[in-house]
Amino acid sequence: MHSVSTLTYQGRPIRLRGTMLNLTDMWRAAGSPEYRRPTSWLILEDTLRFRAHARAHWTELDEPAGDNVVHDHIFHLDPDGLVATARGRNGGTWAHWQLALAYARYLSPAFHLWCNTVVRRAMEWRLGPPAAAHDPLLLHLAQQFRDLHRRLDDVERHAADLMFLLVSAQELVLGNRLEFTGLTRATILKAVAAEPFDGQCPCCLREPVLTEAGRPAPGAEFDHFFHRGLNRPEHGWLICQTCHAELTHGGYLVRFLRMPEFRAFQAAVLEQRRRARQCPGDAAA
Ligand SMILES: [Zn+2]
């Protein structure tokens, strides 16, 4: 069975499965144009003609989609193997990439151009780097990338292990819980209220954590990110109930995964403090 991988167009995901591309994702990535949904396109005469031609000249396609897709109750493949509809997690309309590129052209010129480059390359790489067997430079590069990916995986694992050791060491050294002081809480509240958080939980960016009056909303919690013994403003954040429960009970790996969000918040806190030092009057106001 082919696993699902993802391409990204302007921040929006487009899923791939074997030689099949998710047309629904493509439609969304192109800005969800109301009259250009996959279903509207699939019934067009041009589309039907393309499919009929592909059926008749199947050998011209690099490989039939049907070989790459599991027939199951979730994934329903049309008899020509070019289009499939799926329910559930990988839901939506899927099509063989040759057909999907034609759909891209129908969606928009900019999107078509992008697909022509990125999708085609992804599909060619899936079948193996084309000229690699004959080109020592390409062979060398492919090997370098494989090594690099392996090293990056290692680095990430080591960083997670280091965080675990750090937390254990802090436990020995710091021991006691130190609450955030009033001044520290005020700094954190200001950072949450300001751009880019605008009162949303800095961890999930979904739940509001401030009341109209700028006080912590019910359920929101001040969280000691690194350790309950570290209580300076840059050691904590104000997060929603769900995130707090997740971080409290999820262990250090869950916390490690939230590191980028926390770093972003830390930067906002440090910016608050920098401003407060520059204009002490503003900070007191
Ligand atoms: Zn949250």
Side-chain angles (χ1 to χ4, degrees):
M1 163 162 177
H2 282 264
S3 58
V4 174
S5 55
T6 308
L7 300 170
T8 306
Y9 178 73
Q10 296 184 348
R12 298 192 183 100
I14 299 169
R15 283 164 297 171
L16 286 168
R17 182 172 164 169
T19 50
M20 304 292 273
L21 273 157
N22 190 304
L23 296 187
T24 314
D25 287 352
M26 290 172 69
W27 175 73
R28 287 200 193 101
S32 311
E34 181 57 36
Y35 299 108
R36 290 172 190 268
R37 291 173 187 275
T39 43
S40 322
W41 178 72
L42 282 167
I43 55 169
L44 291 183
E45 204 190 319
D46 273 356
T47 312
L48 297 174
R49 271 180 52 213
F50 181 93
R51 286 181 75 174
H53 182 82
R55 267 195 298 274
H57 301 81
W58 197 225
T59 49
E60 284 177 19
L61 293 178
D62 49 5
E63 57 180 313
D67 293 354
N68 297 282
V69 180
V70 178
H71 291 260
D72 54 34
H73 63 289
I74 299 172
F75 214 76
H76 172 81
L77 189 68
D78 284 4
D80 64 4
L82 283 168
V83 175
T85 44
R87 291 185 284 119
R89 196 163 55 88
N90 297 319
T93 305
W94 296 71
H96 185 273
W97 68 274
Q98 297 263 16
L99 193 60
L101 284 182
Y103 179 56
R105 189 177 61 189
Y106 169 79
L107 280 170
S108 87
F111 185 63
H112 183 219
L113 195 65
W114 179 86
C115 283
N116 258 342
T117 316
V118 177
V119 171
R120 196 173 288 275
R121 197 181 304 140
M123 286 305 159
E124 281 165 1
W125 273 89
R126 223 186 52 78
L127 302 168
H134 312 294
D135 187 334
L137 178 64
L138 279 180
L139 271 178
H140 175 72
L141 281 178
Q143 183 57 44
Q144 292 292 312
F145 277 121
R146 274 194 294 275
D147 289 351
L148 193 60
H149 283 153
R150 206 170 302 133
R151 305 256 311 252
L152 285 174
D153 284 351
D154 284 350
V155 166
E156 198 157 17
R157 262 201 300 278
H158 288 162
D161 289 348
L162 281 177
M163 184 159 173
F164 172 70
L165 290 174
L166 182 75
V167 170
S168 312
Q170 280 169 345
E171 196 62 40
L172 289 171
V173 178
L174 300 165
N176 293 332
R177 179 181 181 88
L178 295 174
E179 293 303 334
F180 292 114
T181 64
L183 202 61
T184 292
R185 285 169 190 253
T187 307
I188 291 177
L189 286 176
K190 264 187 201 146
V192 174
E195 289 268 315
F197 305 108
D198 292 321
Q200 299 298 111
C201 167
C203 185
C204 61
L205 304 173
R206 276 195 309 265
E207 290 290 310
V209 288
L210 292 183
T211 62
E212 291 275 311
R215 304 302 306 160
E221 298 269 0
F222 286 96
D223 170 69
H224 293 74
F225 190 80
F226 295 110
H227 189 271
R228 59 205 157 85
L230 294 172
N231 68 339
R232 293 170 61 85
E234 64 270 30
H235 296 150
W237 56 353
L238 181 72
I239 55 178
C240 74
Q241 200 163 18
T242 314
C243 289
H244 187 252
E246 229 178 83
L247 290 182
T248 307
H249 306 295
Y252 78 98
L253 272 178
V254 170
R255 220 165 251 281
F256 178 73
L257 289 176
R258 288 302 192 176
M259 198 63 115
E261 287 83 2
F262 183 70
R263 289 288 183 223
F265 184 74
Q266 225 176 8
V269 165
L270 294 174
E271 178 62 20
Q272 281 298 324
R273 299 184 74 197
R274 193 184 61 80
R275 267 190 228 154
R277 270 197 304 274
Q278 271 177 355
C279 343
D282 281 8

